[in-house]
Amino acid sequence: MGIKENLLSLKNTFVNPHCLLVAVSKTHPADTILEAYELGVRDFGENKVQELEEKQAALPKDIRWHFIGHLQTNKVKYIAPFIYLIHGVDSLKLLTEINKQAEKAGRVINCLLQVYIAKEESKFGLDEKELEELVQSEAVKSLSHVKIVGLMGMATFTDNENTVREEFRNLKSIFDKLKTKKLTSNFDLREISMGMSGDYIIAQEEGSTMVRIGTAIFGEREYK
Ligand SMILES: *Cc1c(COP(=O)(O)O)cnc(C)c1O
């Protein structure tokens, strides 16, 4: 099937039609992205800084670029002038650097804090205690060039739907708890980024506001 058919059947299965679809275009060429763009998609997700820079330069300027990978502090400066949302912020150090580069670029950059919800060892993110410490820290209060708009999480890669559902439910409950706290004005908690090609339906049932989907739109990726 082509991108058009894939997008249509994907949207048909959305449990929450207001959930934002972030089309994960990593490894796919600019032409492929343009095809989705022409079908109305404006939000694209990438996980490599250099690849993102090249695509951003080549493609329409009204695309909202989402950074969904693990962002290294020394690379923030390359994407700060244009990035729309950084999904995977998992340290105060990274957040502070984003703030610094955002100020240089004369912008406020939207960020999601990545929370570790999976049972696997390899996934990045803050645990609940680290999240608590970060949001309550003195240092975070003075970061006026970032806006923390929500949380992001990845479930365990498994066929066990109960595990996945439990993990997403956990992220939603962490989010709800966080919302009851008194936070500074650089917090505006409204997004939960959870759900990929294999688990977006469960994620939406559990309260996702944005899903990051690649394979179900563009097909399998080929890594070179
Ligand atoms: C690649 C990637 C996705 C998309 O995965 P698919 O299974 O292709 O939908 C979503 N989120 C992150 C963080 C990714 O790296």
Side-chain angles (χ1 to χ4, degrees):
M1 277 205 298
I3 292 173
K4 186 177 184 180
E5 291 77 15
N6 288 346
L7 278 170
L8 279 173
S9 54
L10 192 61
K11 284 291 182 126
N12 273 330
T13 57
F14 268 31
V15 178
N16 171 9
H18 303 294
C19 187
L20 179 74
L21 171 63
V22 179
V24 175
S25 49
K26 61 188 187 195
T27 78
H28 298 290
D31 284 357
T32 305
I33 298 176
L34 207 52
E35 207 181 321
Y37 177 89
E38 276 155 10
L39 294 163
V41 181
R42 290 295 178 273
D43 293 89
F44 291 91
E46 292 282 338
N47 70 343
K48 297 268 191 301
V49 167
Q50 199 187 339
E51 187 178 341
L52 172 54
E53 275 187 278
E54 288 167 9
K55 288 172 175 173
Q56 191 272 337
L59 286 159
K61 294 298 170 274
D62 62 337
I63 287 179
R64 293 184 292 253
W65 292 102
H66 297 243
F67 194 82
I68 62 166
H70 187 69
L71 183 56
Q72 288 172 278
T73 320
N74 62 345
K75 293 193 174 165
V76 175
K77 56 178 178 284
Y78 301 115
I79 62 170
F82 65 84
I83 198 73
Y84 175 70
L85 176 62
I86 299 174
H87 286 236
V89 179
D90 63 356
S91 72
L92 184 59
K93 180 171 168 248
L94 178 57
L95 196 61
T96 305
E97 178 63 15
I98 295 169
N99 185 72
K100 180 179 157 191
Q101 297 300 335
E103 184 167 13
K104 270 193 192 167
R107 307 182 62 216
V108 172
I109 297 180
N110 293 329
C111 296
L112 302 175
L113 299 176
Q114 184 168 358
V115 183
Y116 178 89
I117 52 169
K119 291 179 173 55
E120 292 156 343
E121 288 292 319
S122 63
K123 296 277 160 76
F124 295 105
L126 303 151
D127 65 29
E128 230 187 309
K129 186 165 160 283
E130 292 166 336
L131 177 69
E132 181 90 1
E133 282 168 9
L134 195 158
V135 303
Q136 304 284 8
S137 68
E138 274 308 308
V140 90
K141 295 179 185 166
S142 61
L143 304 180
S144 52
H145 289 267
V146 292
K147 186 77 109 184
I148 297 155
V149 297
L151 302 180
M152 179 265 206
M154 288 169 84
T156 307
F157 189 70
T158 171
D159 288 335
N160 187 329
E161 289 194 4
N162 293 328
T163 301
V164 172
R165 186 177 300 282
E166 227 171 76
E167 291 170 357
F168 286 151
R169 193 168 289 178
N170 183 31
L171 185 59
K172 174 70 161 71
S173 103
I174 294 170
F175 176 85
D176 289 341
K177 237 186 281 170
L178 204 58
K179 277 192 70 127
T180 66
K181 294 195 193 305
K182 198 173 171 303
L183 300 166
T184 37
S185 62
N186 53 358
F187 284 86
D188 180 15
L189 300 174
R190 51 193 155 79
E191 305 291 352
I192 307 178
S193 168
M194 59 183 188
M196 308 176 23
S197 291
D199 56 20
Y200 67 94
I201 294 181
I202 302 175
Q204 289 184 352
E205 285 169 349
E206 298 303 331
S208 169
T209 67
M210 39 176 84
V211 288
R212 311 172 310 269
I213 297 185
T215 311
I217 300 170
F218 301 112
E220 295 290 337
R221 285 178 291 273
E222 281 178 45
Y223 289 95
K224 281 162 280 187

